Amino acid sequence: MTTDNMSTSTDAALRGLFQTLWGFMGTQALYAASRLNVFDTLGEDILPARQLALRCHCDEASLTRLLRFLASLDIVHEAPDACFSVTPTGRYLRSDHPSSVRSLSLLYGQPSYWLPWGALDEAVRTGGPAFDHVHGTSFFDYLSTHPHEAAVFNAAMEDGSQIHLDEILSAYDFSALTRIVDIGGGSGAFLRGILQMHRHLDGVLYDLPTAMPTDAPPPEPRLERIAGDMFESVPPGADGYVLKRILHDWNDEEAIRILRNCREVIPPHGKLLVIEAVLRPPNRPDPARWMDLNMLVLLTGRERTAAEFGRLLASAGFILTRVVTMTRMSIVEAVPA
Ligand SMILES: C[S@@+](CC[C@H](N)C(=O)[O-])C[C@H]1O[C@@H](n2cnc3c(N)ncnc32)[C@H](O)[C@@H]1O
């Protein structure tokens, strides 16, 4: 290797490292811009910073600095005379984008979510969730007493569901099922997507009472809401049971309790669908590794390999029949043993 080559690869390595070191600044820039409504206010327009500052109730000079930082990341574009517009990448931060990540930017940037990341070393030392160490209570108990944070979390989960919905609907044929229970289904965006595509199906949205809307929501055709605790029981009477981004919240013992409750009610011909970001082999980029660490910080859970899912399912009386791999998520299908 020549000295020139060496310095180029050192530069690239350091650039990559700084990108990671400064990650929190990017998160906070997106959080601030979303909170200030910058992306929705810009919409499809090209606006001078002065006008944008007026509309977003901001200090013009400081907003311009934030916008120029975002322009360096190709999230907004600066035209002459300090006029700004949203780039194709930035459009994902608008609330009207079909795959919007606006609510996710509000979740990842909010203090209650990132403060526990400051105690990651504590989680690694003790093996317990950093969230509990920082907030003195567990993640879902905290949400049950913090309605604003719960609303942000639920909206972010809905964003996440919309992003993966089309890919899941084309990767898996739900048409053989007749009734689906979406366990921990949150706002129901995913279940609604399945019901819209398969008109013969009906569904049950099952989640904690605290995750259900407090004012009675208008009834929806073919969709029933049931409040309950999946560690206690799971509603019977369906042939499809979905656990989407549920098992990764819990350790093996807790996950097996949830799975055994599914096993109690699933009929012999029923299907259990575990939808998660299945871990890839080590030493390569893998978004599931980021979520795995996030679970270490927030909860008792973890991401798992396909083999680990196989063992978990077997401990609860299921046989893993196949793994449908998609871009970021996988569908782990299982049937009663
Ligand atoms: C990570 S979110 C996933 C939401 C949704 N399945 C999705 O993929 O967007 C976990 C969900 O589990 C629900 N949950 C947590 N504990 C629960 C329990 N004991 N019983 C039922 N649902 C629970 C939460 O309220 C939340 O909606």
Side-chain angles (χ1 to χ4, degrees):
M1 198 183 253
T2 65
T3 323
D4 265 5
N5 279 347
M6 256 168 63
S7 71
T8 316
S9 62
T10 309
D11 284 355
L14 272 179
R15 262 201 310 277
L17 209 49
F18 270 99
Q19 206 76 30
T20 308
L21 276 174
W22 287 345
F24 73 95
M25 299 185 201
T27 307
Q28 287 305 320
L30 294 183
Y31 175 66
S34 287
R35 264 170 61 102
L36 295 166
N37 260 326
V38 166
F39 306 110
D40 280 350
T41 307
L42 277 171
E44 286 295 306
D45 294 339
I46 304 176
L47 292 181
R50 173 183 298 263
Q51 219 182 97
L52 193 58
L54 271 175
R55 292 207 206 161
C56 297
H57 311 286
C58 293
D59 171 64
E60 182 187 335
S62 307
L63 179 63
T64 306
R65 288 165 68 183
L66 173 61
L67 289 166
R68 288 192 169 140
F69 172 75
L70 295 174
S72 78
L73 298 176
D74 188 35
I75 289 165
V76 299
H77 176 76
E78 180 171 2
D81 301 325
C83 287
F84 291 89
S85 59
V86 176
T87 64
T89 303
R91 281 196 190 119
Y92 285 96
L93 288 146
R94 277 171 40 187
S95 50
D96 60 359
H97 194 287
S99 297
S100 175
V101 296
R102 179 174 191 272
S103 301
L104 285 162
S105 73
L106 293 172
L107 175 71
Y108 293 139
Q110 78 176 351
S112 59
Y113 204 83
W114 57 254
L115 269 172
W117 270 90
L120 172 59
D121 59 337
E122 185 66 23
V124 173
R125 236 190 317 271
T126 62
F131 190 95
D132 302 31
H133 177 73
V134 168
H135 290 294
T137 182
S138 68
F139 183 69
F140 288 115
D141 283 348
Y142 178 90
L143 290 187
S144 71
T145 53
H146 291 76
H148 170 72
E149 274 87 347
V152 172
F153 176 78
N154 290 333
M157 292 304 104
E158 190 163 341
D159 269 10
S161 282
Q162 290 297 353
I163 291 170
H164 301 297
L165 180 63
D166 287 346
E167 201 183 10
I168 296 175
L169 289 178
S170 23
Y172 192 85
D173 184 8
F174 291 86
S175 63
L177 301 169
T178 59
R179 186 173 170 84
I180 293 182
V181 180
D182 189 1
I183 302 165
S187 72
F190 179 61
L191 186 58
R192 268 183 214 101
I194 303 177
L195 299 187
Q196 253 163 36
M197 184 164 175
H198 299 283
R199 299 277 165 184
H200 71 283
L201 268 175
D202 60 22
V204 176
L205 188 58
Y206 184 61
D207 210 304
L208 288 169
T210 47
M212 292 279 164
T214 39
D215 42 349
E220 292 176 66
R222 300 184 286 126
L223 190 148
E224 186 185 351
R225 286 185 178 76
I226 299 182
D229 180 350
M230 63 194 171
F231 288 104
E232 299 292 325
S233 65
V234 164
D239 53 1
Y241 286 84
V242 171
L243 288 164
K244 182 159 128 345
R245 292 187 297 171
I246 298 299
L247 296 186
H248 80 157
D249 289 342
W250 309 102
N251 65 29
D252 284 0
E253 196 186 312
E254 292 161 329
I256 289 169
R257 264 169 61 203
I258 301 167
L259 288 170
R260 286 209 173 119
N261 286 339
C262 296
R263 183 68 182 84
E264 291 260 304
V265 292
I266 196 167
H269 63 282
K271 294 265 164 47
L272 174 76
L273 304 174
V274 176
I275 307 179
E276 294 281 3
V278 172
L279 285 171
R280 297 172 193 161
N283 299 317
R284 62 178 77 171
D286 183 359
R289 297 277 165 202
W290 295 65
M291 275 305 122
D292 184 48
L293 220 49
N294 201 29
M295 291 306 112
L296 179 60
V297 167
L298 298 178
L299 287 143
T300 53
R302 48 187 295 244
E303 303 299 341
R304 296 176 173 92
T305 63
E308 286 167 338
F309 273 117
R311 286 195 287 275
L312 205 61
L313 287 159
S315 314
F318 284 99
I319 301 170
L320 189 160
T321 39
R322 62 185 170 129
V323 178
V324 182
T325 306
M326 299 168 292
T327 321
R328 291 187 54 181
M329 306 287 277
S330 297
I331 303 171
V332 180
E333 184 197 68
V335 294

